[in-house]
Amino acid sequence: MTDASGAGFHRHIDIAPHVRDALRAGRPVVALETTIVSHGMPAPVNLDTARAVEAIVSAAGAVPATIGVIGGRITIGITDDELQLLATADGVLKLNRADLPYAVAARRHGSTTVAATIFCAHRAGIAIFATGGIGGVHRGAETSFDVSADIEELARTPVAVVCAGAKAILDLPKTLEALETRGIAVIGYRTDEFPAFWSRSSALPIHLRLDTPAEIAAVLRVHRELGATGGIVIANPIPVAEEITPDVVARHVADAAAAANASGISGKALTPFLLDAMLTATEGRSLAANVALIKNNARLAAEIAVA
Ligand code: PSU
Ligand code: MN
């Protein structure tokens, strides 16, 4: 472990041998999350996607380290059996930093969100992570106060997060403001706009753009050398062929948000509810797009790690 700020962290963590070897040898490692598996996609697409994403990272020359909590053990580089467990078992907790002590002490199974995954990845010595889309400021946050713990975690944990922007179920302008306030840089990969998850464009400008993995790797190196304490968002638009146009997304997101309101859905259940409502409303297109964009992000994360 390169970071000993939690002196007893090592007692609760298992790092798979192939991941540990890669870290010791300074070879590229990419962290992957499991909330997308347990709560973000239905079976069997969730498991198939998680496996495909690991294979993409490997094919690009990096070591995938999928992170989850298995029977109270924080596990960096879960096995395929453990991945299957998190993909299919009932009662898998959705974990943020706040929930980790309970999940460990009570020996529960838990999937890690972006927030919990980067918390664990950093303490295991992994500096780059891929997901679908980060959490952010929910629509109506001015009354609900619902801002994803991903934002706070990014503010204090130096891990680079490769994503297709923030999920378009969110209030994207407020999400960008929240990132800016906390000093979290957003770098567009071959784009000048904040990507909108299922769509390439949000019409929201971002001010940093880089066009190669090597340039991004150089920025991450300086970020580390400057002793920066927070994360960096690498915003990678969904491939053109797979995107859903913003007008279609906007229509369905409004309906999904109204349905969540009407059913009194809030807290940890909100994001999974909205993703599921989008899946139904788009007759599966949103799920296919989600699969495509996370694969695309895994490839870029591996390329950056290699660079
Ligand atoms: N990316 C996806 N699907 C997901 C997520 C990310 O394509 O389901 C998950 C991540 O684990 C992220 C979480 O941290 O959604 C955000 O949840 P919340 O809004 O409750 O913080
Ligand atoms: Mn929330």
Side-chain angles (χ1 to χ4, degrees):
M1 250 139 300
T2 58
D3 185 315
S5 58
F9 194 82
H10 66 277
R11 277 204 265 148
H12 303 293
I13 187 171
D14 292 326
I15 305 183
H18 67 286
V19 176
R20 189 179 288 279
D21 289 349
L23 289 169
R24 285 213 178 117
R27 289 199 302 274
V29 177
V30 173
L32 299 165
E33 61 145 308
T34 42
T35 291
I36 191 169
V37 181
S38 300
H39 303 282
M41 292 182 180
V45 177
N46 58 350
L47 182 59
D48 294 345
T49 303
R51 286 173 170 161
V53 161
E54 289 188 344
I56 286 167
V57 170
S58 299
V63 172
T66 303
I67 297 179
V69 175
I70 309 294
R73 300 294 299 171
I74 296 170
T75 310
I76 313 290
I78 61 175
T79 64
D80 194 67
D81 285 349
E82 291 165 342
L83 190 57
Q84 275 193 58
L85 173 82
L86 294 183
T88 55
D90 290 326
V92 174
L93 300 171
K94 176 181 167 185
L95 304 175
N96 284 324
R97 167 195 284 254
D99 314 299
L100 279 169
Y102 163 73
V104 170
R107 302 206 168 89
R108 296 286 304 266
H109 300 314
S111 67
T112 51
T113 59
V114 170
T117 307
I118 63 176
F119 176 92
C120 296
H122 173 56
R123 281 154 187 81
I126 304 172
I128 183 152
F129 159 72
T131 184
I134 55 169
V137 181
H138 277 275
R139 290 157 192 249
E142 57 275 26
T143 51
S144 70
F145 273 48
D146 192 345
V147 179
S148 175
D150 293 356
I151 301 283
E152 284 308 320
E153 199 59 51
L154 271 163
R156 47 186 164 173
T157 305
V159 171
V161 174
V162 182
C163 59
K167 289 187 278 288
I169 53 173
L170 300 163
D171 184 323
L172 296 183
K174 287 194 183 74
T175 298
L176 270 181
E177 293 293 347
L179 290 165
E180 184 187 30
T181 299
R182 288 162 181 80
I184 303 159
V186 179
I187 297 175
Y189 180 64
R190 299 181 182 166
T191 183
D192 299 299
E193 273 180 59
F194 194 47
F197 196 63
W198 299 292
S199 315
R200 291 178 61 80
S201 160
S202 65
L204 298 165
I206 49 179
H207 305 291
L208 302 176
R209 172 194 173 130
L210 294 172
D211 287 357
T212 65
E215 288 170 287
I216 296 172
V219 171
L220 300 184
R221 199 172 305 122
V222 175
H223 181 73
R224 197 163 48 239
E225 287 164 1
L226 292 176
T229 49
I232 292 189
V233 171
I234 316 294
N236 183 30
I238 183 173
V240 183
E242 261 99 12
E243 82 162 329
I244 307 177
T245 53
D247 55 312
V248 173
V249 170
R251 197 167 66 236
H252 294 311
V253 163
D255 291 347
N261 249 328
S263 330
I265 306 287
S266 65
K268 281 180 190 281
L270 181 57
T271 292
F273 177 93
L274 292 171
L275 290 175
D276 191 56
M278 289 298 287
L279 189 163
T280 307
T282 61
E283 297 170 335
R285 278 182 69 204
S286 68
L287 179 59
N290 199 345
V291 170
L293 66 86
I294 185 168
K295 289 181 177 172
N296 192 46
N297 295 340
R299 192 171 307 109
L300 177 59
E303 288 167 1
I304 295 167
V306 168

